[in-house]
Amino acid sequence: MATDTFTWCVQVNASEELKVSTLQAQFGDGYKQVGSNGINSAAETWTLSCNGDIVAMKVVRDFLQNHVISSFWWTNPWGDRKLYRVKSDSINPTFVNGKFAAIAFVFEQAFAP
């Protein structure tokens, strides 16, 4: 089965959080040893939003709901195409008026489909 791609335009205020998982040992003389914790030790999380007419945002919302447990391709603002999943509690639609909606959501980097 082919992996889907998120193609909708996101707002320019996207923000990234990069978490690097490490193993550390601090010694009494002040020396600190730091090492990578696994092969995928750095993981990105992106806080994003989209807005548009309700019909278009319903399609985005459906995509987001369907990709909480299955990953998808997305090209982040750095230009890197990677696999992501939607954080399960992050889909937050706001209805500006009867015909316009905004959706805030979070992408978490995935390392396998």
Side-chain angles (χ1 to χ4, degrees):
M1 185 168 108
T3 303
D4 293 334
T5 300
F6 185 86
T7 57
W8 293 272
C9 186
V10 296
Q11 295 291 318
V12 294
N13 61 349
S15 68
E16 175 189 24
E17 181 179 347
L18 182 63
K19 292 184 182 178
V20 180
S21 179
T22 61
L23 299 172
Q24 301 181 20
Q26 179 75 46
F27 298 95
D29 61 356
Y31 176 76
K32 186 179 198 179
Q33 187 174 14
V34 180
S36 174
N37 186 14
I39 59 171
N40 296 315
S41 60
E44 302 171 2
T45 302
W46 288 90
T47 302
L48 305 162
S49 62
C50 265
N51 62 33
D53 67 81
I54 287 183
V55 174
M57 290 302 98
K58 169 111 174 61
V59 175
V60 173
R61 180 179 169 268
D62 292 345
F63 181 94
L64 296 172
Q65 276 186 304
N66 291 328
H67 290 86
V68 170
I69 56 175
S70 62
S71 60
F72 56 91
W73 292 105
W74 178 60
T75 302
N76 65 35
W78 295 111
D80 301 325
R81 184 175 187 254
K82 297 181 180 180
L83 287 170
Y84 295 89
R85 287 188 186 92
V86 178
K87 186 176 178 186
S88 63
D89 61 350
S90 72
I91 305 168
N92 296 302
T94 305
F95 297 92
V96 180
N97 63 38
K99 297 180 182 177
F100 191 83
I103 303 176
F105 48 93
V106 176
F107 287 170
E108 297 176 317
Q109 188 175 3
F111 296 98

